[in-house]
Short mmCIF file of all heavy atoms in Angstrom, two decimals:
data_model
loop_
_atom_site.label_atom_id
_atom_site.label_comp_id
_atom_site.label_asym_id
_atom_site.label_seq_id
_atom_site.Cartn_x
_atom_site.Cartn_y
_atom_site.Cartn_z
N GLY A 1 -9.40 3.07 -20.14
CA GLY A 1 -9.96 3.43 -18.86
C GLY A 1 -9.40 2.56 -17.77
O GLY A 1 -9.93 2.57 -16.64
N SER A 2 -8.39 1.76 -17.99
CA SER A 2 -7.82 0.97 -16.94
C SER A 2 -6.94 1.88 -15.98
O SER A 2 -6.37 2.80 -16.41
CB SER A 2 -6.84 -0.11 -17.47
OG SER A 2 -7.62 -0.98 -18.18
N VAL A 3 -7.03 1.51 -14.74
CA VAL A 3 -6.29 2.24 -13.63
C VAL A 3 -5.46 1.24 -12.86
O VAL A 3 -5.89 0.20 -12.44
CB VAL A 3 -7.25 3.02 -12.67
CG1 VAL A 3 -6.48 3.73 -11.61
CG2 VAL A 3 -8.06 4.06 -13.42
N LEU A 4 -4.24 1.61 -12.68
CA LEU A 4 -3.31 0.77 -11.95
C LEU A 4 -2.76 1.60 -10.83
O LEU A 4 -2.23 2.76 -10.95
CB LEU A 4 -2.05 0.32 -12.80
CG LEU A 4 -0.97 -0.42 -12.11
CD1 LEU A 4 -1.52 -1.82 -11.62
CD2 LEU A 4 0.24 -0.65 -13.07
N VAL A 5 -2.92 1.16 -9.55
CA VAL A 5 -2.45 1.86 -8.35
C VAL A 5 -1.38 0.94 -7.65
O VAL A 5 -1.77 -0.18 -7.28
CB VAL A 5 -3.62 2.23 -7.42
CG1 VAL A 5 -3.05 2.90 -6.15
CG2 VAL A 5 -4.65 2.95 -8.11
N LEU A 6 -0.12 1.44 -7.62
CA LEU A 6 0.90 0.72 -6.89
C LEU A 6 1.11 1.49 -5.59
O LEU A 6 1.28 2.70 -5.60
CB LEU A 6 2.20 0.76 -7.71
CG LEU A 6 2.07 0.13 -9.06
CD1 LEU A 6 3.37 0.40 -9.90
CD2 LEU A 6 1.80 -1.31 -9.06
N TYR A 7 1.22 0.75 -4.46
CA TYR A 7 1.39 1.45 -3.08
C TYR A 7 2.11 0.60 -2.20
O TYR A 7 2.13 -0.59 -2.31
CB TYR A 7 0.04 1.87 -2.68
CG TYR A 7 -0.90 0.62 -2.40
CD1 TYR A 7 -0.96 -0.04 -1.14
CD2 TYR A 7 -1.67 0.17 -3.48
CE1 TYR A 7 -1.75 -1.07 -1.00
CE2 TYR A 7 -2.52 -0.90 -3.28
CZ TYR A 7 -2.50 -1.53 -1.99
OH TYR A 7 -3.34 -2.67 -1.73
N THR A 8 2.72 1.19 -1.18
CA THR A 8 3.42 0.52 -0.13
C THR A 8 2.41 0.28 0.93
O THR A 8 1.36 0.85 1.01
CB THR A 8 4.66 1.26 0.30
OG1 THR A 8 4.18 2.51 0.90
CG2 THR A 8 5.62 1.49 -0.81
N ASP A 9 2.77 -0.61 1.88
CA ASP A 9 1.99 -0.95 3.01
C ASP A 9 1.69 0.28 3.89
O ASP A 9 0.74 0.17 4.65
CB ASP A 9 2.51 -2.13 3.83
CG ASP A 9 3.87 -1.79 4.46
OD1 ASP A 9 4.55 -0.82 4.11
OD2 ASP A 9 4.26 -2.60 5.35
N GLY A 10 2.41 1.30 3.77
CA GLY A 10 2.17 2.52 4.63
C GLY A 10 0.90 3.19 4.24
O GLY A 10 0.28 3.89 5.05
N VAL A 11 0.36 2.90 3.10
CA VAL A 11 -1.01 3.34 2.60
C VAL A 11 -2.07 2.49 3.29
O VAL A 11 -2.94 2.93 3.92
CB VAL A 11 -1.09 3.45 1.09
CG1 VAL A 11 -2.49 3.85 0.64
CG2 VAL A 11 -0.08 4.34 0.53
N SER A 12 -2.10 1.33 2.87
CA SER A 12 -3.17 0.38 3.32
C SER A 12 -3.22 0.05 4.81
O SER A 12 -4.20 -0.18 5.44
CB SER A 12 -3.08 -1.02 2.61
OG SER A 12 -1.80 -1.65 2.81
N GLU A 13 -1.98 0.19 5.45
CA GLU A 13 -1.89 -0.08 6.95
C GLU A 13 -1.96 1.22 7.77
O GLU A 13 -1.69 1.19 8.99
CB GLU A 13 -0.64 -0.87 7.24
CG GLU A 13 -0.74 -2.35 6.65
CD GLU A 13 0.47 -3.08 6.84
OE1 GLU A 13 1.43 -2.63 7.43
OE2 GLU A 13 0.53 -4.27 6.34
N ALA A 14 -2.13 2.36 7.20
CA ALA A 14 -2.27 3.56 7.93
C ALA A 14 -3.42 3.49 8.91
O ALA A 14 -4.47 2.98 8.55
CB ALA A 14 -2.53 4.74 6.97
N GLU A 15 -3.15 3.97 10.09
CA GLU A 15 -4.16 3.86 11.28
C GLU A 15 -4.69 5.09 11.71
O GLU A 15 -4.12 6.16 11.67
CB GLU A 15 -3.50 3.13 12.37
CG GLU A 15 -3.09 1.72 12.16
CD GLU A 15 -2.39 1.04 13.32
OE1 GLU A 15 -1.99 1.77 14.26
OE2 GLU A 15 -2.21 -0.21 13.31
N ASN A 16 -6.08 5.06 12.06
CA ASN A 16 -6.58 6.24 12.73
C ASN A 16 -6.48 6.10 14.28
O ASN A 16 -5.71 5.21 14.72
CB ASN A 16 -8.10 6.36 12.28
CG ASN A 16 -9.02 5.17 12.80
OD1 ASN A 16 -8.56 4.38 13.60
ND2 ASN A 16 -10.11 5.07 12.19
N GLU A 17 -7.07 7.10 15.05
CA GLU A 17 -6.97 7.04 16.47
C GLU A 17 -7.48 5.83 17.17
O GLU A 17 -7.07 5.55 18.26
CB GLU A 17 -7.46 8.41 17.07
CG GLU A 17 -9.02 8.37 17.09
CD GLU A 17 -9.55 9.16 15.82
OE1 GLU A 17 -8.77 9.69 15.00
OE2 GLU A 17 -10.82 9.12 15.65
N ARG A 18 -8.41 5.05 16.53
CA ARG A 18 -8.91 3.89 17.08
C ARG A 18 -8.09 2.68 16.64
O ARG A 18 -8.41 1.55 16.97
CB ARG A 18 -10.36 3.65 16.66
CG ARG A 18 -11.31 4.81 17.32
CD ARG A 18 -12.69 4.56 16.84
NE ARG A 18 -12.63 4.68 15.38
CZ ARG A 18 -13.75 4.57 14.60
NH1 ARG A 18 -14.90 4.21 15.05
NH2 ARG A 18 -13.62 4.80 13.28
N ARG A 19 -6.97 2.93 15.99
CA ARG A 19 -6.09 1.84 15.49
C ARG A 19 -6.71 1.02 14.37
O ARG A 19 -6.30 -0.06 14.05
CB ARG A 19 -5.56 0.99 16.59
CG ARG A 19 -4.87 1.83 17.66
CD ARG A 19 -3.87 1.21 18.46
NE ARG A 19 -2.93 0.57 17.57
CZ ARG A 19 -1.76 0.20 17.96
NH1 ARG A 19 -1.35 0.47 19.15
NH2 ARG A 19 -0.93 -0.44 17.10
N ASP A 20 -7.81 1.47 13.72
CA ASP A 20 -8.33 0.90 12.56
C ASP A 20 -7.42 1.19 11.36
O ASP A 20 -6.86 2.29 11.33
CB ASP A 20 -9.75 1.39 12.18
CG ASP A 20 -10.78 1.10 13.27
OD1 ASP A 20 -10.73 0.06 13.92
OD2 ASP A 20 -11.70 1.95 13.49
N GLN A 21 -7.27 0.24 10.39
CA GLN A 21 -6.39 0.47 9.31
C GLN A 21 -7.20 0.91 8.07
O GLN A 21 -8.40 0.56 7.95
CB GLN A 21 -5.68 -0.85 9.01
CG GLN A 21 -4.57 -1.15 10.08
CD GLN A 21 -3.69 -2.28 9.60
OE1 GLN A 21 -3.95 -3.03 8.65
NE2 GLN A 21 -2.63 -2.42 10.32
N PHE A 22 -6.59 1.72 7.19
CA PHE A 22 -7.21 2.15 6.00
C PHE A 22 -7.62 1.00 5.13
O PHE A 22 -8.71 0.94 4.63
CB PHE A 22 -6.26 3.16 5.26
CG PHE A 22 -6.91 3.90 4.19
CD1 PHE A 22 -7.77 4.86 4.43
CD2 PHE A 22 -6.55 3.58 2.81
CE1 PHE A 22 -8.45 5.57 3.34
CE2 PHE A 22 -7.19 4.32 1.79
CZ PHE A 22 -8.06 5.33 2.03
N GLU A 23 -6.77 0.07 4.98
CA GLU A 23 -6.95 -1.21 4.17
C GLU A 23 -7.31 -1.04 2.68
O GLU A 23 -7.64 0.08 2.24
CB GLU A 23 -8.10 -2.06 4.92
CG GLU A 23 -7.65 -2.37 6.32
CD GLU A 23 -8.70 -3.35 7.05
OE1 GLU A 23 -9.83 -3.46 6.57
OE2 GLU A 23 -8.27 -3.94 7.98
N THR A 24 -7.20 -2.17 2.09
CA THR A 24 -7.46 -2.12 0.57
C THR A 24 -8.90 -1.84 0.12
O THR A 24 -9.09 -1.38 -0.96
CB THR A 24 -6.92 -3.45 -0.06
OG1 THR A 24 -7.57 -4.46 0.55
CG2 THR A 24 -5.43 -3.53 0.12
N ASP A 25 -9.81 -2.30 0.91
CA ASP A 25 -11.20 -1.99 0.62
C ASP A 25 -11.52 -0.53 0.45
O ASP A 25 -12.21 -0.12 -0.45
CB ASP A 25 -12.19 -2.63 1.62
CG ASP A 25 -12.14 -4.13 1.56
OD1 ASP A 25 -11.71 -4.67 0.55
OD2 ASP A 25 -12.70 -4.78 2.47
N ARG A 26 -11.07 0.29 1.44
CA ARG A 26 -11.25 1.81 1.40
C ARG A 26 -10.57 2.32 0.14
O ARG A 26 -11.06 3.19 -0.55
CB ARG A 26 -10.79 2.42 2.66
CG ARG A 26 -11.68 2.32 3.80
CD ARG A 26 -11.23 3.06 4.97
NE ARG A 26 -12.02 2.96 6.07
CZ ARG A 26 -11.90 1.91 6.96
NH1 ARG A 26 -10.89 1.06 6.90
NH2 ARG A 26 -12.77 1.85 7.96
N LEU A 27 -9.26 1.87 -0.07
CA LEU A 27 -8.50 2.34 -1.18
C LEU A 27 -9.19 2.03 -2.52
O LEU A 27 -9.33 2.88 -3.40
CB LEU A 27 -7.12 1.63 -1.20
CG LEU A 27 -6.18 1.98 -2.35
CD1 LEU A 27 -5.79 3.37 -2.35
CD2 LEU A 27 -4.87 1.17 -2.21
N ALA A 28 -9.65 0.74 -2.69
CA ALA A 28 -10.37 0.37 -3.90
C ALA A 28 -11.75 1.14 -4.12
O ALA A 28 -12.07 1.62 -5.18
CB ALA A 28 -10.73 -1.10 -3.86
N ALA A 29 -12.32 1.47 -3.00
CA ALA A 29 -13.59 2.26 -3.11
C ALA A 29 -13.35 3.71 -3.63
O ALA A 29 -14.01 4.25 -4.45
CB ALA A 29 -14.27 2.35 -1.71
N VAL A 30 -12.26 4.35 -3.18
CA VAL A 30 -11.83 5.59 -3.73
C VAL A 30 -11.49 5.55 -5.12
O VAL A 30 -11.90 6.40 -5.88
CB VAL A 30 -10.69 6.22 -2.84
CG1 VAL A 30 -10.19 7.55 -3.47
CG2 VAL A 30 -11.05 6.39 -1.41
N VAL A 31 -10.74 4.58 -5.50
CA VAL A 31 -10.36 4.37 -6.90
C VAL A 31 -11.59 4.30 -7.80
O VAL A 31 -11.76 4.85 -8.91
CB VAL A 31 -9.38 3.26 -7.14
CG1 VAL A 31 -9.11 2.93 -8.61
CG2 VAL A 31 -8.11 3.47 -6.43
N ARG A 32 -12.51 3.37 -7.38
CA ARG A 32 -13.74 3.14 -8.14
C ARG A 32 -14.59 4.51 -8.25
O ARG A 32 -15.07 4.79 -9.35
CB ARG A 32 -14.64 2.02 -7.55
CG ARG A 32 -14.20 0.66 -7.86
CD ARG A 32 -15.30 -0.35 -7.41
NE ARG A 32 -15.63 -0.31 -5.97
CZ ARG A 32 -14.94 -0.85 -5.00
NH1 ARG A 32 -13.92 -1.67 -5.41
NH2 ARG A 32 -15.25 -0.84 -3.73
N GLU A 33 -14.61 5.25 -7.20
CA GLU A 33 -15.35 6.49 -7.20
C GLU A 33 -14.76 7.50 -8.18
O GLU A 33 -15.50 8.32 -8.80
CB GLU A 33 -15.44 7.08 -5.81
CG GLU A 33 -16.29 8.39 -5.68
CD GLU A 33 -16.24 8.83 -4.28
OE1 GLU A 33 -15.95 8.12 -3.29
OE2 GLU A 33 -16.60 10.12 -4.11
N HIS A 34 -13.49 7.47 -8.34
CA HIS A 34 -12.82 8.51 -9.15
C HIS A 34 -12.19 7.91 -10.43
O HIS A 34 -11.44 8.62 -11.11
CB HIS A 34 -11.72 9.17 -8.31
CG HIS A 34 -12.24 9.90 -7.14
ND1 HIS A 34 -12.70 11.16 -7.30
CD2 HIS A 34 -12.46 9.54 -5.86
CE1 HIS A 34 -13.13 11.51 -6.01
NE2 HIS A 34 -13.06 10.51 -5.31
N LYS A 35 -12.56 6.71 -10.82
CA LYS A 35 -11.95 5.98 -12.00
C LYS A 35 -12.02 6.70 -13.30
O LYS A 35 -11.14 6.53 -14.12
CB LYS A 35 -12.47 4.63 -12.17
CG LYS A 35 -13.93 4.55 -12.52
CD LYS A 35 -14.47 3.13 -12.57
CE LYS A 35 -15.94 3.04 -12.77
NZ LYS A 35 -16.45 3.37 -14.01
N ASP A 36 -12.94 7.59 -13.48
CA ASP A 36 -13.12 8.35 -14.76
C ASP A 36 -12.33 9.69 -14.80
O ASP A 36 -12.31 10.36 -15.79
CB ASP A 36 -14.60 8.73 -15.05
CG ASP A 36 -15.48 7.42 -15.25
OD1 ASP A 36 -14.86 6.44 -15.79
OD2 ASP A 36 -16.59 7.32 -14.80
N GLU A 37 -11.64 9.97 -13.69
CA GLU A 37 -10.83 11.13 -13.60
C GLU A 37 -9.38 10.84 -14.08
O GLU A 37 -9.01 9.75 -14.29
CB GLU A 37 -10.95 11.72 -12.16
CG GLU A 37 -12.33 12.05 -11.78
CD GLU A 37 -12.41 12.56 -10.32
OE1 GLU A 37 -11.46 13.05 -9.75
OE2 GLU A 37 -13.49 12.31 -9.75
N SER A 38 -8.52 11.88 -14.01
CA SER A 38 -7.17 11.68 -14.43
C SER A 38 -6.37 11.00 -13.33
O SER A 38 -6.87 10.84 -12.16
CB SER A 38 -6.53 13.07 -14.63
OG SER A 38 -6.41 13.72 -13.35
N ALA A 39 -5.19 10.42 -13.66
CA ALA A 39 -4.39 9.78 -12.71
C ALA A 39 -4.02 10.68 -11.48
O ALA A 39 -4.08 10.31 -10.30
CB ALA A 39 -3.09 9.22 -13.34
N THR A 40 -3.78 11.95 -11.88
CA THR A 40 -3.40 12.87 -10.73
C THR A 40 -4.68 13.14 -9.82
O THR A 40 -4.48 13.15 -8.63
CB THR A 40 -3.05 14.24 -11.40
OG1 THR A 40 -1.85 14.03 -12.19
CG2 THR A 40 -2.74 15.30 -10.38
N ALA A 41 -5.87 13.22 -10.44
CA ALA A 41 -7.03 13.45 -9.61
C ALA A 41 -7.33 12.17 -8.74
O ALA A 41 -7.71 12.25 -7.52
CB ALA A 41 -8.24 13.74 -10.50
N ILE A 42 -7.12 10.94 -9.23
CA ILE A 42 -7.25 9.75 -8.49
C ILE A 42 -6.22 9.67 -7.31
O ILE A 42 -6.56 9.52 -6.15
CB ILE A 42 -7.06 8.53 -9.37
CG1 ILE A 42 -8.19 8.42 -10.40
CG2 ILE A 42 -7.14 7.21 -8.49
CD1 ILE A 42 -7.99 7.45 -11.52
N HIS A 43 -5.00 10.07 -7.59
CA HIS A 43 -3.97 10.13 -6.56
C HIS A 43 -4.32 11.08 -5.51
O HIS A 43 -4.27 10.76 -4.31
CB HIS A 43 -2.66 10.59 -7.28
CG HIS A 43 -1.49 10.74 -6.30
ND1 HIS A 43 -1.31 11.85 -5.60
CD2 HIS A 43 -0.53 9.84 -5.92
CE1 HIS A 43 -0.23 11.72 -4.78
NE2 HIS A 43 0.23 10.44 -4.95
N ASP A 44 -4.78 12.31 -5.84
CA ASP A 44 -5.20 13.38 -4.88
C ASP A 44 -6.40 12.94 -4.13
O ASP A 44 -6.39 13.15 -2.86
CB ASP A 44 -5.53 14.68 -5.62
CG ASP A 44 -4.31 15.29 -6.21
OD1 ASP A 44 -3.14 14.90 -5.89
OD2 ASP A 44 -4.46 16.23 -7.07
N ALA A 45 -7.27 12.17 -4.67
CA ALA A 45 -8.47 11.69 -3.96
C ALA A 45 -7.98 10.65 -2.92
O ALA A 45 -8.61 10.58 -1.83
CB ALA A 45 -9.54 11.16 -4.91
N ILE A 46 -7.10 9.77 -3.28
CA ILE A 46 -6.68 8.75 -2.37
C ILE A 46 -6.02 9.42 -1.19
O ILE A 46 -6.19 9.09 0.00
CB ILE A 46 -5.72 7.76 -3.04
CG1 ILE A 46 -6.58 6.89 -4.12
CG2 ILE A 46 -5.11 6.82 -2.04
CD1 ILE A 46 -5.63 6.08 -4.99
N ARG A 47 -5.12 10.38 -1.47
CA ARG A 47 -4.36 11.09 -0.43
C ARG A 47 -5.37 11.80 0.52
O ARG A 47 -5.14 11.85 1.76
CB ARG A 47 -3.38 12.06 -1.06
CG ARG A 47 -2.19 11.36 -1.58
CD ARG A 47 -1.31 10.90 -0.38
NE ARG A 47 -0.13 10.19 -0.98
CZ ARG A 47 0.51 9.24 -0.27
NH1 ARG A 47 0.19 8.97 0.90
NH2 ARG A 47 1.48 8.61 -0.79
N GLU A 48 -6.35 12.49 -0.09
CA GLU A 48 -7.33 13.15 0.73
C GLU A 48 -8.13 12.15 1.65
O GLU A 48 -8.36 12.44 2.78
CB GLU A 48 -8.30 13.90 -0.06
CG GLU A 48 -9.29 14.77 0.65
CD GLU A 48 -10.20 15.61 -0.16
OE1 GLU A 48 -10.05 15.63 -1.41
OE2 GLU A 48 -11.20 16.21 0.41
N ALA A 49 -8.59 11.06 1.02
CA ALA A 49 -9.32 10.08 1.90
C ALA A 49 -8.41 9.50 2.99
O ALA A 49 -8.88 9.32 4.14
CB ALA A 49 -9.76 8.96 0.89
N LEU A 50 -7.20 9.29 2.68
CA LEU A 50 -6.23 8.79 3.66
C LEU A 50 -6.06 9.81 4.71
O LEU A 50 -6.09 9.45 5.97
CB LEU A 50 -4.91 8.41 2.99
CG LEU A 50 -3.84 7.81 3.73
CD1 LEU A 50 -4.36 6.36 4.30
CD2 LEU A 50 -2.57 7.48 2.88
N SER A 51 -5.82 11.04 4.41
CA SER A 51 -5.71 12.06 5.46
C SER A 51 -6.89 12.24 6.25
O SER A 51 -6.77 12.41 7.45
CB SER A 51 -5.39 13.40 4.67
OG SER A 51 -5.24 14.47 5.57
N ASN A 52 -8.13 12.21 5.69
CA ASN A 52 -9.36 12.29 6.42
C ASN A 52 -9.44 11.11 7.35
O ASN A 52 -9.96 11.26 8.46
CB ASN A 52 -10.56 12.37 5.53
CG ASN A 52 -10.64 13.71 4.77
OD1 ASN A 52 -10.01 14.69 5.18
ND2 ASN A 52 -11.27 13.70 3.72
N PHE A 53 -9.03 9.92 6.96
CA PHE A 53 -9.13 8.73 7.70
C PHE A 53 -8.30 8.80 8.95
O PHE A 53 -8.75 8.44 10.00
CB PHE A 53 -8.88 7.48 6.89
CG PHE A 53 -8.90 6.16 7.62
CD1 PHE A 53 -10.14 5.60 8.00
CD2 PHE A 53 -7.71 5.61 8.08
CE1 PHE A 53 -10.17 4.41 8.62
CE2 PHE A 53 -7.79 4.50 8.83
CZ PHE A 53 -9.01 3.82 9.07
N VAL A 54 -6.97 9.09 8.84
CA VAL A 54 -6.03 9.04 9.92
C VAL A 54 -6.24 10.26 10.83
O VAL A 54 -5.85 10.23 11.97
CB VAL A 54 -4.59 8.92 9.50
CG1 VAL A 54 -4.36 7.71 8.71
CG2 VAL A 54 -4.21 10.12 8.63
N GLY A 55 -6.80 11.39 10.33
CA GLY A 55 -6.88 12.56 11.11
C GLY A 55 -5.54 13.12 11.59
O GLY A 55 -4.62 13.24 10.80
N LYS A 56 -5.46 13.26 12.90
CA LYS A 56 -4.18 13.80 13.52
C LYS A 56 -3.37 12.75 14.07
O LYS A 56 -2.30 12.95 14.64
CB LYS A 56 -4.56 14.74 14.57
CG LYS A 56 -5.23 16.02 14.15
CD LYS A 56 -5.54 16.99 15.22
CE LYS A 56 -6.18 18.24 14.60
NZ LYS A 56 -6.56 19.15 15.68
N THR A 57 -3.67 11.40 13.74
CA THR A 57 -2.81 10.39 14.23
C THR A 57 -1.47 10.33 13.45
O THR A 57 -1.46 10.46 12.26
CB THR A 57 -3.54 8.94 13.91
OG1 THR A 57 -4.82 8.98 14.57
CG2 THR A 57 -2.69 7.79 14.51
N PRO A 58 -0.35 10.32 14.14
CA PRO A 58 0.95 10.32 13.57
C PRO A 58 1.17 9.07 12.76
O PRO A 58 0.69 8.00 13.09
CB PRO A 58 1.94 10.34 14.77
CG PRO A 58 1.20 10.46 15.97
CD PRO A 58 -0.24 10.27 15.72
N ALA A 59 1.89 9.29 11.61
CA ALA A 59 2.22 8.06 10.75
C ALA A 59 3.13 7.23 11.44
O ALA A 59 4.02 7.59 12.08
CB ALA A 59 2.64 8.66 9.41
N ASN A 60 2.84 5.84 11.32
CA ASN A 60 3.71 4.89 11.86
C ASN A 60 4.63 4.27 10.78
O ASN A 60 5.42 3.29 11.11
CB ASN A 60 2.98 3.84 12.65
CG ASN A 60 2.00 3.10 11.85
OD1 ASN A 60 1.87 3.31 10.70
ND2 ASN A 60 1.28 2.22 12.48
N ASP A 61 4.47 4.63 9.52
CA ASP A 61 5.27 4.09 8.42
C ASP A 61 5.11 5.08 7.30
O ASP A 61 4.28 6.03 7.21
CB ASP A 61 4.62 2.82 7.95
CG ASP A 61 5.48 1.97 7.09
OD1 ASP A 61 6.71 2.42 6.85
OD2 ASP A 61 5.12 0.85 6.73
N ASP A 62 6.18 5.07 6.47
CA ASP A 62 6.15 5.97 5.24
C ASP A 62 5.23 5.35 4.21
O ASP A 62 4.83 4.17 4.27
CB ASP A 62 7.56 6.05 4.64
CG ASP A 62 8.13 4.85 4.12
OD1 ASP A 62 7.81 3.70 4.68
OD2 ASP A 62 8.83 4.91 3.15
N SER A 63 4.74 6.17 3.29
CA SER A 63 3.83 5.71 2.30
C SER A 63 4.23 6.22 0.87
O SER A 63 4.63 7.43 0.78
CB SER A 63 2.36 6.05 2.51
OG SER A 63 2.28 7.45 2.55
N THR A 64 4.12 5.35 -0.10
CA THR A 64 4.48 5.67 -1.43
C THR A 64 3.37 5.19 -2.33
O THR A 64 2.84 4.05 -2.12
CB THR A 64 5.86 5.08 -1.87
OG1 THR A 64 6.83 5.51 -0.94
CG2 THR A 64 6.17 5.40 -3.29
N MET A 65 3.04 5.92 -3.43
CA MET A 65 1.90 5.53 -4.19
C MET A 65 2.18 6.07 -5.63
O MET A 65 2.63 7.26 -5.80
CB MET A 65 0.64 6.04 -3.73
CG MET A 65 -0.59 5.70 -4.43
SD MET A 65 -2.24 6.15 -3.67
CE MET A 65 -1.85 7.87 -3.20
N VAL A 66 1.86 5.30 -6.58
CA VAL A 66 1.88 5.60 -7.98
C VAL A 66 0.64 5.24 -8.68
O VAL A 66 0.07 4.18 -8.46
CB VAL A 66 3.06 4.93 -8.78
CG1 VAL A 66 3.03 5.28 -10.28
CG2 VAL A 66 4.46 5.23 -8.13
N VAL A 67 -0.01 6.16 -9.37
CA VAL A 67 -1.29 5.91 -10.06
C VAL A 67 -1.10 6.09 -11.50
O VAL A 67 -0.49 7.07 -12.03
CB VAL A 67 -2.39 6.85 -9.61
CG1 VAL A 67 -3.75 6.56 -10.33
CG2 VAL A 67 -2.62 6.73 -8.11
N LEU A 68 -1.44 5.02 -12.33
CA LEU A 68 -1.24 5.10 -13.79
C LEU A 68 -2.68 4.86 -14.34
O LEU A 68 -3.45 4.03 -13.88
CB LEU A 68 -0.37 3.99 -14.28
CG LEU A 68 1.10 3.97 -13.70
CD1 LEU A 68 1.82 2.73 -14.17
CD2 LEU A 68 1.81 5.22 -14.21
N LYS A 69 -2.92 5.50 -15.41
CA LYS A 69 -4.11 5.38 -16.12
C LYS A 69 -3.90 5.19 -17.54
O LYS A 69 -3.21 5.85 -18.20
CB LYS A 69 -5.05 6.60 -15.93
CG LYS A 69 -6.41 6.34 -16.48
CD LYS A 69 -7.47 7.35 -15.89
CE LYS A 69 -8.85 7.09 -16.46
NZ LYS A 69 -9.81 7.99 -16.06
N PHE A 70 -4.53 4.13 -18.17
CA PHE A 70 -4.28 3.76 -19.54
C PHE A 70 -5.55 4.16 -20.39
O PHE A 70 -6.67 3.94 -20.04
CB PHE A 70 -4.01 2.26 -19.72
CG PHE A 70 -2.97 1.82 -18.87
CD1 PHE A 70 -3.14 1.42 -17.58
CD2 PHE A 70 -1.65 1.81 -19.37
CE1 PHE A 70 -2.04 0.91 -16.81
CE2 PHE A 70 -0.55 1.43 -18.62
CZ PHE A 70 -0.76 0.88 -17.32
#
């Protein structure tokens, strides 16, 4: 049941229109909420949360993420 999420700073430092960052606390909360799902489902949940957070704000950095589940 272990989950490993590797990501670049483009994920944790993604900003919304108020210039708030997504940060690792939000990322960890999404992972905890979906920890019993597949790695693909966890990845999709993180991407959806990230998209909802930034809204229409253009990305200021690229983002890469890998989710592994053991």
Side-chain angles (χ1 to χ4, degrees):
S2 298
V3 177
L4 174 66
V5 179
L6 305 171
Y7 59 93
T8 60
D9 64 346
V11 174
S12 57
E13 295 177 0
E15 295 180 345
N16 63 15
E17 69 268 354
R18 292 178 298 178
R19 303 205 53 158
D20 297 325
Q21 292 188 345
F22 190 68
E23 299 184 341
T24 56
D25 289 343
R26 282 186 184 86
L27 177 61
V30 175
V31 173
R32 279 192 303 272
E33 182 179 342
H34 297 275
K35 66 183 171 74
D36 295 327
E37 299 176 28
S38 70
T40 300
I42 296 168
H43 178 274
D44 292 346
I46 295 168
R47 285 287 175 207
E48 181 178 355
L50 189 58
S51 178
N52 291 339
F53 177 80
V54 298
K56 294 183 180 181
T57 306
N60 59 2
D61 197 359
D62 63 329
S63 61
T64 303
M65 181 174 45
V66 176
V67 178
L68 302 171
K69 187 165 182 181
F70 303 90

